[in-house]
Amino acid sequence: MPGTGEPPPHGWATMGRWRGPRILLAVLLLLCPLPAPACPHTCHCWAGDVDCNQRALHEVPRLLPTNASTLWLGYNLIAVLGARAFPSLPVLLRLSLTHNRLEKIHRQALLGLGALQELDLSDNYLSVLSSETFLPLTSLSILNLGYNRLEQLEAGVPPALPQLQAIFLNGNPWMCSCSILPLWRWLGHNREKVPERSSLQCMFPESLNTYPIMAFGNDSFQQCQTVPLSVQNYAAFLLIGPFSFLASIFCCTLIGSIVVVYQHLRKEPQTWKRPLSSGCH
């Protein structure tokens, strides 16, 4: 033991033998972290930027550098973003998918992109977007949806982005009916977040073609203010219908039976009043 002149126990000697290499290994890992996944052979990577523009890609490359901060996927042939379309990219800040053929984005397509701040989906074929798709993007501040095929925007899309500072919606064929009311309301309360709000125009119906959406007043949506029926209301109607039909059949049968019995009882007294034949002369 130390200070006694006795040799150290076997266990202590073993720990002393391994302590040096362990410390050296830890230092090496700190100085030389494990390499990030190699850059896709179809792309060009440098200093956190991954350039996959104009590579005729039909899907997002599966292996991307985990240190990527900007990912360019514009001018490709991507039509669908399926569930978990991207590998986990914890420091990705900017993602561009402009000028693709995007028609559908899965509700879980953007999982793993929690640090994303800018998303460009412009110049695609998107006609429907779910608010659930954007829930993972808690840091997103700029969203470009310009020049797609959106006729309406689900009411929950902007509120799903708590850090949203700017959204671009121009160039879409907006349907100016009651379905656009949620978007019109949101625009009215968030004008500063829509830089090109004055250029948002109706395309349908034809009578309102090129009419500015922001020019509508509250009276324009007066007919849309009625409270819609809930699912419970529709269920009640569906149940009441068959029961009413059965009840009417029962009532008709009951009334018919009463009428038959009544007529039968009216005939019975005539039989009772017939004179009895007497055997006496």
Side-chain angles (χ1 to χ4, degrees):
M1 296 292 291
T4 63
E6 300 178 5
H10 177 70
W12 285 57
T14 305
M15 289 179 64
R17 258 198 321 268
W18 285 100
R19 186 177 297 136
R22 285 181 178 176
I23 294 174
L24 179 60
L25 180 60
V27 171
L28 289 175
L29 287 174
L30 289 174
L31 295 177
C32 305
L34 293 175
C39 183
H41 69 279
T42 55
C43 306
H44 179 60
C45 305
W46 77 99
D49 278 20
V50 182
D51 184 1
C52 301
N53 279 338
Q54 293 182 305
R55 299 299 198 277
L57 298 175
H58 287 83
E59 60 182 11
V60 179
R62 296 312 304 166
L63 293 178
L64 292 167
T66 54
N67 66 340
S69 58
T70 302
L71 176 57
W72 306 96
L73 286 166
Y75 300 89
N76 283 295
L77 307 172
I78 301 173
V80 176
L81 291 179
R84 297 184 177 274
F86 299 85
S88 181
L89 300 172
V91 296
L92 187 68
L93 301 178
R94 290 169 290 277
L95 172 60
S96 174
L97 283 156
T98 186
H99 288 278
N100 273 271
R101 297 180 179 178
L102 270 178
E103 296 181 356
K104 183 179 179 181
I105 301 180
H106 192 276
R107 295 185 177 189
Q108 297 181 342
L110 303 178
L111 291 175
L113 305 181
L116 196 65
Q117 295 180 3
E118 300 178 21
L119 176 59
D120 189 352
L121 297 171
S122 62
D123 291 279
N124 279 288
Y125 303 149
L126 295 170
S127 59
V128 178
L129 289 171
S130 169
S131 58
E132 189 177 340
T133 301
F134 299 96
L135 289 178
L137 308 183
T138 54
S139 302
L140 196 71
S141 58
I142 300 176
L143 175 60
N144 192 343
L145 298 174
Y147 296 96
N148 275 278
R149 296 179 177 178
L150 296 171
E151 294 184 2
Q152 61 182 19
L153 190 65
E154 188 175 312
V157 170
L161 301 168
Q163 302 300 322
L164 187 65
Q165 297 178 10
I167 183 170
F168 297 87
L169 300 168
N170 54 306
N172 284 285
W174 300 108
M175 168 68 77
C176 290
S177 61
C178 290
S179 61
I180 207 172
L181 178 57
L183 175 61
W184 177 80
R185 283 176 173 166
W186 187 86
L187 291 172
H189 292 91
N190 298 274
R191 293 172 180 266
E192 73 285 354
K193 295 182 180 181
V194 191
E196 299 175 335
R197 59 184 177 276
S198 59
S199 65
L200 301 183
Q201 297 179 341
C202 307
M203 181 171 286
F204 306 104
E206 188 176 349
S207 58
L208 293 173
N209 191 10
T210 71
Y211 190 84
I213 293 178
M214 298 304 297
F216 286 111
N218 212 24
D219 294 341
S220 303
F221 298 98
Q222 200 166 29
Q223 61 181 0
C224 306
Q225 305 296 332
T226 55
V227 179
L229 294 174
S230 65
V231 176
Q232 291 83 355
N233 296 137
Y234 285 112
F237 290 144
L238 289 175
L239 290 174
I240 290 173
F243 278 116
S244 300
F245 177 71
L246 293 174
S248 63
I249 292 178
F250 175 78
C251 290
C252 292
T253 304
L254 180 62
I255 293 173
S257 301
I258 293 174
V259 170
V260 170
V261 171
Y262 175 73
Q263 291 179 347
H264 180 70
L265 292 176
R266 286 189 61 186
K267 293 179 180 180
E268 283 294 330
Q270 297 177 5
T271 305
W272 296 341
K273 293 179 181 179
R274 286 178 184 173
L276 295 175
S277 57
S278 174
C280 301
H281 298 283

